[in-house]
Amino acid sequence: MDHKQSIVMNDIAIGCFQRGSFNFPDKPSSAELVAPGEDVRVGHQTRGGLLRGHGTILVSDRFTATICGTIERVGNLVSVRPFRCTYKPETGDVVLGRVIERAGKCWKLDINSWQDASLHLSAINLPGGIPRRRNADDELNMRQLYDDDDLVSAEVQSVHRDGTVMLHTRGPKYGCMSLGQLISVVPVLVKRAETHFHRVCSDLKTDIEILIGCNGYIWVGLKHSACFTHDPECSKSQNNTGGCEREVFSTSVNAHTRDQVCRVASAVRVLSMLHLAIYPKRILDVVDRSNDWGVSNTDMLRRAFVVKFSEWMTD
């Protein structure tokens, strides 16, 4: 986000706070907002029988918040969940990562966390789908599978005690992504769900695929074999590495389809600017309002549309 968009976002946020219409992501009706220095209360309790968790300190026999966020309680453990934080990987998370280097028999991926993740050669499906031991030839041909700067959808296989994150791309829904846009948002805006692969219809003619990564990376692009493998159009170009063959990079895309991809991507950016939870139904709300109000995708990030949509959300 450039400096001009940052100024617009701050102005909009201030206006929403003044009107009392600012919505925080996934905030339950019973959740209590706290700012640094405020007492952390759970019901009528401020200390007795409770354990101090992240984001709290003990001051004068009372729990006091050290960060801005919502109060969360798990059993007797009380903590404060921050609105902005670094992505913390968990086993089973669907993430998007950018290949930054190849080290030995694994790739290093940037997953928007405090350290890079590792995708081992043994954690992918080889071309042909034949299960066998990896050999020296497979290691020499690693760049034919995933090269530097490739965007890869994967799943967190394990997280070690030292923080090392191991990924895998086994299965047809994971692999190299192409023909689309990558948007980076605050990870707290993405809620873990049963599925993170979605297909939305931005108009009556075009289906757009959205992959909402738990790490705050969101992919918006054309129909991809990694999303629906039973689609005949997708299965023709699918290989057994978990994604599509590299020939899809040369596929031509008409202007209308590019416009719809940009519109959905702009809808994601609008939700990020308003700090609203990002999920398919809310993305479609932004797209539908932009179509109903006759706003082009190039004007969706302007202050007028963002403020108008925030007011529509509170009506």
Side-chain angles (χ1 to χ4, degrees):
M1 181 181 296
D2 56 22
H3 180 65
K4 179 182 271 187
Q5 285 188 357
S6 178
I7 294 176
V8 172
M9 183 188 69
N10 291 335
D11 291 344
I12 293 170
I14 293 173
C16 291
F17 272 119
Q18 291 175 346
R19 293 191 304 271
S21 60
F22 198 94
N23 294 326
F24 291 94
D26 306 322
K27 184 179 87 66
S29 57
S30 59
E32 182 180 353
L33 304 177
V34 290
E38 292 185 349
D39 289 340
V40 177
R41 295 177 176 271
V42 180
H44 298 289
Q45 291 180 288
T46 58
R47 175 68 176 88
L50 301 178
L51 300 176
R52 183 174 66 86
H54 175 76
T56 63
I57 58 175
L58 189 61
V59 178
S60 301
D61 203 35
R62 288 175 174 270
F63 287 156
T64 303
T66 59
I67 56 177
C68 181
T70 57
I71 299 175
E72 290 189 345
R73 177 174 179 177
V74 180
N76 290 330
L77 180 65
V78 178
S79 60
V80 178
R81 179 189 179 189
F83 293 129
R84 290 182 177 271
C85 59
T86 304
Y87 167 65
K88 183 179 180 181
E90 294 184 10
T91 302
D93 283 355
V94 176
V95 298
L96 281 163
R98 180 78 67 180
V99 178
I100 57 177
E101 65 174 334
R102 183 173 63 91
K105 292 185 178 181
C106 68
W107 295 269
K108 293 293 185 180
L109 277 71
D110 172 21
I111 59 169
N112 197 28
S113 185
W114 65 282
Q115 71 174 9
D116 299 328
S118 298
L119 175 61
H120 202 272
L121 181 61
S122 61
I124 68 171
N125 292 333
L126 294 175
I130 302 175
R132 59 177 174 79
R133 294 178 63 88
R134 276 53 171 172
N135 52 37
D137 292 337
D138 296 325
E139 186 175 353
L140 292 175
N141 296 328
M142 286 177 62
R143 290 190 182 276
Q144 298 182 8
L145 300 174
Y146 301 123
D147 204 352
D148 292 348
D149 291 331
D150 279 353
L151 187 66
V152 179
S153 60
E155 182 177 325
V156 177
Q157 181 175 359
S158 61
V159 181
H160 297 171
R161 290 186 177 181
D162 61 353
T164 304
V165 180
M166 306 301 297
L167 306 177
H168 79 86
T169 58
R170 301 187 187 97
K173 63 181 179 179
Y174 302 121
C176 189
M177 311 298 290
S178 62
L179 299 178
Q181 292 188 29
L182 176 67
I183 304 106
S184 178
V185 302
V186 181
V188 73
L189 298 181
V190 179
K191 187 176 182 179
R192 290 178 173 86
E194 294 183 359
T195 177
H196 290 262
F197 296 87
H198 306 279
R199 181 172 294 175
V200 299
C201 186
S202 59
D203 58 13
L204 298 179
K205 301 179 181 179
T206 310
D207 284 341
I208 303 298
E209 177 188 326
I210 303 177
L211 171 52
I212 304 177
C214 295
N215 58 337
Y217 286 164
I218 299 178
W219 171 261
V220 179
L222 303 186
K223 291 189 296 184
H224 198 279
S225 63
C227 185
F228 293 92
T229 55
H230 61 267
D231 192 331
E233 296 180 1
C234 295
S235 59
K236 292 179 181 179
S237 61
Q238 181 185 359
N239 62 19
N240 292 317
T241 61
C244 287
E245 297 177 354
R246 291 189 178 275
E247 282 73 16
V248 300
F249 285 90
S250 60
T251 303
S252 60
V253 182
N254 59 57
H256 175 75
T257 302
R258 289 199 300 266
D259 180 82
Q260 294 305 312
V261 170
C262 293
R263 184 175 294 274
V264 176
S266 296
V268 175
R269 292 186 176 97
V270 168
L271 295 176
S272 177
M273 293 170 67
L274 292 174
H275 206 73
L276 296 172
I278 298 174
Y279 50 88
K281 182 180 182 303
R282 184 162 284 175
I283 294 173
L284 280 178
D285 286 341
V286 182
V287 173
D288 292 341
R289 297 291 77 73
S290 66
N291 288 325
D292 295 343
W293 298 337
V295 180
S296 64
N297 59 4
T298 57
D299 294 332
M300 289 178 63
L301 298 181
R302 296 186 182 275
R303 177 187 175 88
F305 175 78
V306 179
V307 172
K308 187 175 182 179
F309 178 77
S310 66
E311 293 174 345
W312 175 85
M313 287 287 295
T314 59
D315 290 342

